[in-house]
Amino acid sequence: MTNAQLSLEIAKRHKVSVLLARVLILRGVKTLEESDRWLNWDIPCEHDPFLMKNMDKAIELISNVRENKKKAWIYGDYDLDGISGAAILAGALGDWGLSVNWMLPNRFDGGYGLSAGTLQKMKDAGAECLILIDTGITAREEIKAAKEFGMQVLVLDHHKPSGEGLPIADAILDPFLEDCQYPNKSLCAAGVAYKFLYALYQKTGKPLSDLEEYLPLVSLGTLADIVPLNAENMCLVRKGMGKFLDSHCLAVKILYDKFATDKNFVNSNDIHYRMAPLLNAPGRMESPDAALKFLLCKDEEEIGSLYSKLVECNTERRKIELDIHVQAIKRLEEIYGNDLPKVLIIDSLEWNIGVVGIVAARIAQEYKRPTAIISVQSDGVAVASARSAGSFNWHAALFPCRDIFTRWGGHVKAAGFNIAAEKINELRTRMEEQANIQDFTPVMEESIQYDLEVSLSELSLKFLGELKRLEPFGNENSYPVFLARQVAVKGFRVLNGGHLRFYAVHGRVSIPAIAFNKMHLADSLQKGNVDLVFEVRSNVYQGVESVQLIVQGVI
C-alpha cells in the first residue's frame, strides 16, 4: 500500500482529514493498526510495573515500614518532575496509611541532591525510612550515611547510574539498572513513582482507581522533564490531561481554571508554557516548598495564598531572567569577542542560580552552541547549569572530566555541575576537546524544517480539532510545521516588541498570521508572494475561536 493509499484508508477508518492522516504517516505510522494507537486514546499502552527490577523488594520494604509504624520521609528535587513525584508519593502513600513527611532540596542552600545537612535534619525529625525520588542513583556516600543513621532507604530514580557503582540502598527502582527488564527507559521520576504505586496498590488490594487522582501530576512531570513521548509516556500523559477536567485535587482545579486555553481540554502547550513555569518558579527564586504544598493542599483558603505565592515568584523570575540574559550576552562578548568556541562557558559573580538554566537554553538557541552559565558564589564555588545545541551530548562531555567537579549530573541535553572558580578556564579547554571528540560543529544558518506542504484551504477549525487527537506534543512528537507556497501577504504591520502581523492569502482564503520576534523577516514578507513556514494554532478573541498561523520563517 502506498502512502497516498494508506492516508486515504486512515482518514476513512478514523473519520479524519487526509491531511491529519498524512501527518500520522510522517510520525512513522505504516499500518492502520499503528494509526489506532495514535488516534484511539483508550488503547492500553502501559507495561507491567513488576517488570521493573526490585519492584517486589521495594513493595516489601514499604509494607514493612507501614506495618511497623515507622516514620517515612520523602526527599525529592527542586524541579517540577521531582516535585510532582514527591506529591504523588506523599499523597498516595498517605492515602494508603503510611506515616509520611517530605523535604525538598534548596538550590540556594545545599544545591541538588541529598546532603549531610538534610540527612541530619530528617534524622533529628525521627526519620526511619528515606524515600528518594528523582535523585539518589549516584548518592553513594549520602545513602551510606543514611544507613549508618539506621534508616531504611528506597530510591526511585530515572537517571543513569554513574558507572562507579550503585548506592547500598535497601531497594532501587530505576529503568536504567543493569538487567532491568522494564521496556520504557524514558520514564520521568513522576512516572517511576506512579508505576511503583500502581504495583503497590495492585499487590496490597487497594483500588487502582484511587490512583487516578494523581495522573495529572504524572502528566506535569512527564512534559516538564521533556522525556521522549513514547507509547507509554504518551498514554500516561493523555490519561492525566483527561483527569484535569473533573479532578478533586484543589491544585489541579486551579491550574485547569487559570491556564487551560480550551475550557474543554488541557493541552500540552498549557502545561509546557503556563503551568510548568509557574510551579517551577518557587524553586528558581527561593525554596520549592511552596509548589509542593500547593499540589498537596486540601484547604480552600490556604491554597489561594499558595497560588498567589507562585504567581509572585514567577513574576520575579521573569524579570531576573531577562536581566541576567542581557548581562550574559555582554559577558560573552567580553570573554570571547568575535572568536566564539564550539562550547560557550559564561561566568559571572553571583547570578541567581535558579534561572541560569533558562538563560543557558536561550543563549544555546541563539548562538547554536552548547552553553553553560556559571554563577560564582562568594565562597569560590561556581554553580553551573548547561544546555545543549545540535548533536552535543553534555552527559558524555562531562563524564570524562568529572575529576574537576565537586558535583555533577544530567542528561544529553541538560546538565548541572559545581566547580571551583579557579578551574573554569580548564573547563573551557576540556569542553572544547570534548566537542572535537564528539565531532560537534555549530551550524548558525540552519535550514527551516517543515513536515508537510499544504494549501491554506486545508486549514480549518475542524483540522485544529483533529490535531488535538495527536496530543500530547513534546519530545519525539513535535507539533507539526507546514509549508504553503506562493502566499500573498496583506495588511502587513510591525507590532511593539518586534513582532509582525499580517494576513496570509491563497485565492479567496485569508488567515491571520503572526511572527513573534522575527523582525529579520520584515523585508522578505513585503516583497510579494512568499513560501511560508508556520504552525497552525487556535486563537480565541472575545469568545470567538479562529485559525491563526504562527510563522516560523520563509524559504
Side-chain angles (χ1 to χ4, degrees):
M1 188 184 300
T2 66
N3 282 346
Q5 291 170 326
L6 179 58
S7 63
L8 289 171
E9 290 299 317
I10 291 173
K12 181 179 177 181
R13 183 184 184 100
H14 294 284
K15 297 181 174 58
V16 296
S17 65
V18 172
L19 177 56
L20 190 80
R22 291 168 64 202
V23 172
L24 275 179
I25 291 171
L26 282 176
R27 295 291 193 266
V29 169
K30 294 181 173 61
T31 66
L32 289 173
E33 289 70 28
E34 288 176 3
S35 73
D36 294 343
R37 180 180 72 80
W38 284 87
L39 296 174
N40 185 349
W41 286 32
D42 295 326
I43 292 180
C45 297
E46 295 182 57
H47 304 297
D48 180 357
F50 288 96
L51 291 173
M52 200 173 291
K53 186 176 182 178
N54 299 325
M55 185 61 80
D56 283 314
K57 187 187 293 187
I59 291 173
E60 182 181 0
L61 165 64
I62 209 69
S63 297
N64 287 337
V65 169
R66 188 182 75 155
E67 184 178 334
N68 293 304
K69 296 181 168 53
K70 292 183 177 180
K71 293 182 179 179
W73 279 73
I74 295 165
Y75 189 78
D77 188 25
Y78 43 60
D79 70 9
L80 183 50
D81 185 25
I83 293 168
S84 298
I88 293 166
L89 289 171
L93 290 176
D95 293 345
W96 180 63
L98 193 69
S99 173
V100 63
N101 288 285
W102 57 264
M103 186 177 291
L104 298 176
N106 185 323
R107 70 177 88 216
F108 303 99
D109 180 21
Y112 172 81
L114 192 60
S115 67
T118 53
L119 264 178
Q120 187 64 52
K121 288 178 184 177
M122 287 187 282
K123 177 181 180 293
D124 293 344
E128 298 168 282
C129 174
L130 178 59
I131 304 171
L132 299 173
I133 176 69
D134 201 21
T135 186
I137 197 66
T138 61
R140 297 172 65 206
E141 293 303 315
E142 294 82 1
I143 289 176
K144 180 182 177 183
K147 296 297 295 177
E148 290 170 354
F149 279 154
M151 297 180 189
Q152 293 178 284
V153 181
L154 170 61
V155 175
L156 292 87
D157 209 342
H158 72 124
H159 297 96
K160 290 183 178 179
S162 67
E164 299 177 337
L166 295 172
I168 309 302
D170 294 274
I172 301 175
L173 297 178
D174 189 324
F176 282 112
L177 289 182
E178 186 177 355
D179 298 327
C180 180
Q181 300 302 308
Y182 198 78
N184 183 9
K185 305 302 182 185
S186 298
L187 281 173
C188 69
V192 174
Y194 178 78
K195 300 304 291 193
F196 165 62
L197 292 165
Y198 193 97
L200 176 68
Y201 278 32
Q202 196 173 46
K203 188 94 168 183
T204 58
K206 186 166 173 59
L208 292 172
S209 57
D210 291 353
L211 272 182
E212 293 180 358
E213 188 68 29
Y214 301 98
L215 282 166
L217 305 188
V218 178
S219 64
L220 288 172
T222 302
L223 291 178
D225 217 50
I226 320 179
V227 294
L229 290 172
N230 56 29
E232 182 176 49
N233 286 343
M234 184 173 284
C235 181
L236 290 172
V237 174
R238 284 177 167 180
K239 285 184 174 182
M241 289 162 64
K243 288 294 176 182
F244 269 88
L245 279 68
D246 56 1
S247 174
H248 299 296
C249 172
L250 293 179
V252 172
K253 284 182 177 179
I254 288 178
L255 292 172
Y256 172 65
D257 289 341
K258 298 288 186 181
F259 299 118
T261 49
D262 180 337
K263 289 306 176 184
N264 296 311
F265 183 76
V266 171
N267 62 48
S268 49
N269 218 43
D270 297 332
I271 294 175
H272 279 303
Y273 300 111
R274 296 161 70 83
M275 299 178 190
L278 179 85
L279 292 164
N280 271 323
R284 296 192 183 282
M285 302 310 302
E286 41 185 70
S287 163
D289 289 8
L292 183 48
K293 288 177 181 177
F294 174 75
L295 292 177
L296 292 172
C297 186
K298 295 182 179 180
D299 184 287
E300 293 192 4
E301 291 186 10
E302 182 186 4
I303 202 164
S305 62
L306 286 169
Y307 176 74
S308 297
K309 177 69 173 177
L310 299 187
V311 172
E312 177 187 329
C313 287
N314 201 30
T315 301
E316 183 67 9
R317 187 268 305 169
R318 287 194 190 100
K319 179 181 180 300
I320 292 176
E321 175 193 328
L322 289 172
D323 290 343
I324 292 179
H325 180 256
V326 171
Q327 296 169 31
I329 295 296
K330 183 178 179 181
R331 178 67 178 139
L332 169 69
E333 294 168 352
E334 291 173 356
I335 298 169
Y336 299 114
N338 294 323
D339 188 19
L340 295 182
K342 293 181 178 180
V343 181
L344 303 179
I345 309 291
I346 308 169
D347 64 303
S348 187
L349 293 174
E350 297 190 341
W351 276 332
N352 182 304
I353 60 176
V355 301
V356 291
I358 305 173
V359 176
R362 289 184 63 182
I363 292 179
Q365 183 180 40
E366 290 166 9
Y367 287 84
K368 304 297 187 289
R369 285 165 166 79
T371 301
I373 302 292
I374 301 180
S375 176
V376 180
Q377 307 300 293
S378 57
D379 59 3
V381 175
V383 180
S385 191
R387 297 294 184 270
S388 186
S391 62
F392 187 83
N393 183 328
W394 268 111
H395 189 276
L398 295 179
F399 184 77
C401 307
R402 60 195 183 280
D403 58 292
I404 63 173
F405 305 123
T406 55
R407 272 187 177 183
W408 78 279
H411 304 284
V412 172
K413 296 294 183 184
F417 54 87
N418 290 6
I419 187 172
E422 60 267 22
K423 293 190 176 183
I424 291 175
N425 282 332
E426 180 183 351
L427 174 69
R428 289 190 174 104
T429 300
R430 294 180 71 170
M431 286 301 99
E432 207 65 11
E433 291 171 355
Q434 290 300 315
N436 291 331
I437 289 171
Q438 293 187 27
D439 198 26
F440 170 77
T441 302
V443 180
M444 288 303 293
E445 296 299 327
E446 294 182 349
S447 59
I448 299 174
Q449 302 296 314
Y450 63 90
D451 296 298
L452 281 173
E453 184 175 335
V454 298
S455 167
L456 295 187
S457 62
E458 296 180 86
L459 309 177
S460 63
L461 288 176
K462 181 176 182 295
F463 175 65
L464 281 174
E466 292 176 352
L467 271 182
K468 292 177 183 178
R469 297 179 66 177
L470 302 191
E471 286 273 6
F473 295 106
N475 187 2
E476 295 190 4
N477 184 35
S478 57
Y479 198 85
V481 179
F482 300 105
L483 166 69
R485 295 194 184 276
Q486 291 298 296
V487 173
V489 175
K490 304 292 185 183
F492 177 88
R493 57 195 177 104
V494 178
L495 306 180
N496 291 335
H499 313 309
L500 311 176
R501 185 183 292 281
F502 59 95
Y503 286 92
V505 180
H506 252 172
R508 295 184 178 181
V509 178
S510 178
I511 301 178
I514 188 164
F516 292 108
N517 301 306
K518 289 186 167 57
M519 273 298 296
H520 61 283
L521 296 179
D523 289 342
S524 299
L525 289 170
Q526 295 179 88
K527 286 181 178 177
N529 291 355
V530 295
D531 295 342
L532 198 66
V533 178
F534 55 86
E535 294 178 356
V536 56
R537 298 277 187 175
S538 168
N539 182 51
V540 179
Y541 180 68
Q542 295 184 342
V544 179
E545 184 180 14
S546 61
V547 176
Q548 179 174 248
L549 307 186
I550 307 298
V551 177
Q552 307 297 305
V554 297
I555 59 173

